[in-house]
Each structure stands twice: as C-alpha cells, then as structure tokens.
Amino acid sequence: MTRSPLLRHLAPALCAALLLTGCAQDTVAGSAATPAADASSTAAGSPGSSASSAPASSPTPTPTPTPEEPAELIGGGTEVFPDRRMVALYGHPETPGLGVLGEQGPRESVIRAQELAAQYEPFSDVPVVPAFEIITTTASSEPGVDGDYSRESTVEDLRPYVDAAVEHDVYVVLDLQPGHQDFLSQAQQYEELLRLPNVGLALDPEWRLAPGQVHMVQIGSVDAAEINATTAWLAELTRENDLPQKVVVLHQFADSMITNRHLVDASRPELALVLHADGHGTPDLKMGTWERLQEGLPEGIRMAWKNFYDEDTPTFTPEQTSAIEPQPWFVSYQ
C-alpha cells in the first residue's frame, strides 16, 4: 500500500520536544518473627526457691515464608492470547502531533483508553483490555549528540504514564524508533520498565536506518536476525523474572521493512508476537495492505490493525474494525 513518504507522524515529531520517563520496581522482603520470652511460663517462686529451677520459655517458631503469587496479566492468566484483545492509544506523552496519547495527561489518557476499549466489547468474544502504545524513542531529523537520529526518552519521564497505566489496569507497549541504533540496545535501556508484568515492546522498522540513510528520505528496515536477537533477550528477561507473556508488536506497511521476515522466530513461549498493519488511507488501500502482509507470515504471529483519525478516509468504526478478517488482536489509534 502506498502512503505519504514518512510524513505519517515524523514531521510533527521532528519539531516536538522529546520527553523521557521511567518507573522503578519495588521489591518486598519478608522479615522473620523474633522469638519472645513468655513470662507466664516461669514458675512462681516460693521462699527459698531458686530462679534457676524455673522452666525455660519455649521459642516462638519462625513462620515459613509464603511464596509470592506469580505475576498475572490484566484480567488474569499468564498468556496474552486468545483470552483477550487490546485497544491502544498511540503517541508520545504531551506531544499531540505524534498521536492521540499525547493529547491529554496520564489520567485523562487512562479514561480515554478505557472508553475506547469499551466500544469494542460488543464485537469481541473475549475481554478487551485498554492499552497505551508509548513512543519511547523518537525518530529525529537531526543526528543528536550520539549521532543515531533517535531521541531517547528516559525512564523517569515515562513514569507518569506507566504508573497511571499500572494503577488502572491499562497495558503498556514501549515503541522504539531507533534510527541508526539497533533495536536490542535501545530495548535494554528500558529493562527497568520491561520487568513490569504488563509492559511489552514494539519495534518500528520504518525508523530503523541503515548506514548513510536519514529519515524523510528513505523508509527504514530491519532484518529478521535483529528482531530475533531482541526478542531472545526479552524472552530471557521475562523468564528469569517469572513474568507473564509479553506482547511484541512488529510494525509494517511495506514489504521491504522486514527483510527475511520468514525467519522471524515466533516460537518463544514468553512472548506473543503481533504484526501491526500500519497503512493508512482509503478502506481499499488499507485492506490491500492487510491482505498482502499476511502472505508468508510466520506461524505464531497474529495480526494487528491501526486506525488513523486524520489520515484515514474515513476512519474505521469499532464495528468495522472488528469485522476485518481475521479479527485483529491488537488495535491502536493514532
């Protein structure tokens, strides 16, 4: 499907100030009870009796620590699909030009995501979970200090949105636009957030540049090998921290965006991969992209859909979006 060259959301991004965030994960340590002497266990002494003849107090046994319950997904369970679908607000916090997530603050975004997800409930045979897809690293027209043409948000700057999402049962997907940096090294910068049970990852190859490329001139791409290296790391992180499955979103609208796509490994049980059809325009153009992207799709990858409020003509309704075959498992709004 054709689309305006890279003007989907980069142009506003290049003039918008980048915010950065984070979130710390608390750990809870249990303390053992201290044995206490029982005064009542000491026999009453009679005249001339020795204190040493009193029976010794019995120590209070140390309680056996109760194992912590494994972390679960919103709505329960540890496997993302097929027991739920997700509907997400996409964008960069406090940057309206990059998507609807930035049009309001954290709490207001929670309410908007909940209301949007509720519109899909009548058309789904499983619960619909509200979500944020947060642009975490943003493609830039300038190389920046590190020369990678990508502006990285900090964990601290993302905290208000992540905390609000965690508090109100909204799933979070961290979206990466790495420029000349690779997806793995960028993902590792957000390990602190990815250790949370309801935080997943999105890789956007449109903004993954090859040497010598710049945004607004070329459409980026990534090879399956880099995707697999990133997902292998994320799967290990998930397994070592006893976390539920994580959503991994692969964005695509052009065939060239993912080279050797047939080699993408979707077999890791710790991850739930979805291919996100990013095309915008008329219904015919969007459906053309949708059908084409399913050709040769590796087994184990589910399909996801994107609705644009401004670029689609017209924007699909929740009922129309749900009627697409196969029904999308993850829908985002920009």
Side-chain angles (χ1 to χ4, degrees), residues 26-329:
D26 296 332
T27 53
V28 180
S31 58
T34 302
D38 185 354
S40 65
S41 66
T42 304
S46 57
S49 66
S50 169
S52 62
S53 65
S57 60
S58 301
T60 303
T62 301
T64 302
T66 303
E68 291 186 5
E69 291 294 327
E72 292 191 340
L73 293 162
I74 295 165
T78 59
E79 293 188 8
V80 179
F81 307 118
D83 293 331
R84 79 208 79 225
R85 301 181 191 276
M86 294 187 180
V87 175
L89 299 183
Y90 174 93
H92 186 281
E94 300 180 14
T95 310
L98 294 182
V100 295
L101 182 64
E103 293 181 354
Q104 58 281 305
R107 184 68 184 97
E108 294 78 13
S109 292
V110 164
I111 296 172
R112 186 170 180 179
Q114 291 171 335
E115 292 175 345
L116 191 58
Q119 295 178 34
Y120 279 78
E121 287 284 357
F123 313 110
S124 177
D125 55 355
V126 293
V128 181
V129 174
F132 291 166
E133 185 172 354
I134 305 175
I135 301 175
T136 303
T137 65
T138 310
S140 173
S141 61
E142 300 296 330
V145 175
D146 53 10
D148 64 3
Y149 288 86
S150 178
R151 297 181 180 179
E152 297 87 358
S153 298
T154 66
V155 171
E156 289 72 24
D157 288 336
L158 293 172
R159 175 180 287 276
Y161 282 80
V162 175
D163 284 355
V166 170
E167 181 182 356
H168 298 286
D169 289 338
V170 174
Y171 197 87
V172 173
V173 177
L174 305 179
D175 184 86
L176 303 181
Q177 301 176 1
H180 286 293
Q181 196 174 168
D182 63 275
F183 281 115
L184 175 57
S185 61
Q186 276 208 337
Q188 290 172 334
Q189 296 178 49
Y190 301 97
E191 178 177 337
E192 181 178 342
L193 296 180
L194 291 168
R195 287 177 180 270
L196 297 174
N198 286 284
V199 176
L201 191 65
L203 311 181
D204 199 341
E206 179 181 3
W207 313 111
R208 172 64 171 98
L209 299 175
Q213 290 185 335
V214 294
H215 299 301
M216 304 287 291
V217 178
Q218 296 91 4
I219 294 175
S221 66
V222 67
D223 189 77
E226 185 173 318
I227 293 175
N228 291 339
T230 307
T231 56
W233 171 81
L234 184 61
E236 182 179 6
L237 180 73
T238 302
R239 182 173 58 255
E240 289 182 346
N241 290 274
D242 198 22
L243 299 172
Q245 252 189 352
K246 289 189 175 295
V247 174
V248 176
V249 178
L250 304 178
H251 287 274
Q252 187 177 20
F253 61 85
D255 295 341
S256 62
M257 287 171 58
I258 303 178
T259 57
N260 296 309
R261 195 184 71 166
H262 64 288
L263 298 178
V264 171
D265 184 0
S267 67
R268 303 183 190 281
E270 300 85 0
L271 308 177
L273 272 64
V274 295
L275 187 78
H276 196 284
D278 272 359
H280 62 68
T282 66
D284 286 344
L285 287 172
K286 290 177 73 73
M287 291 306 302
T289 298
W290 178 257
E291 297 294 339
R292 189 183 71 253
L293 291 177
Q294 294 179 65
E295 297 175 2
L297 187 67
E299 184 177 355
I301 301 180
R302 298 172 185 265
M303 290 298 294
W305 178 269
K306 191 165 195 174
N307 281 323
F308 292 82
Y309 284 115
D310 297 328
E311 290 85 357
D312 285 345
T313 52
T315 303
F316 279 38
T317 66
E319 183 175 7
Q320 291 170 328
T321 304
S322 301
I324 296 167
E325 294 290 343
Q327 186 174 354
W329 291 95

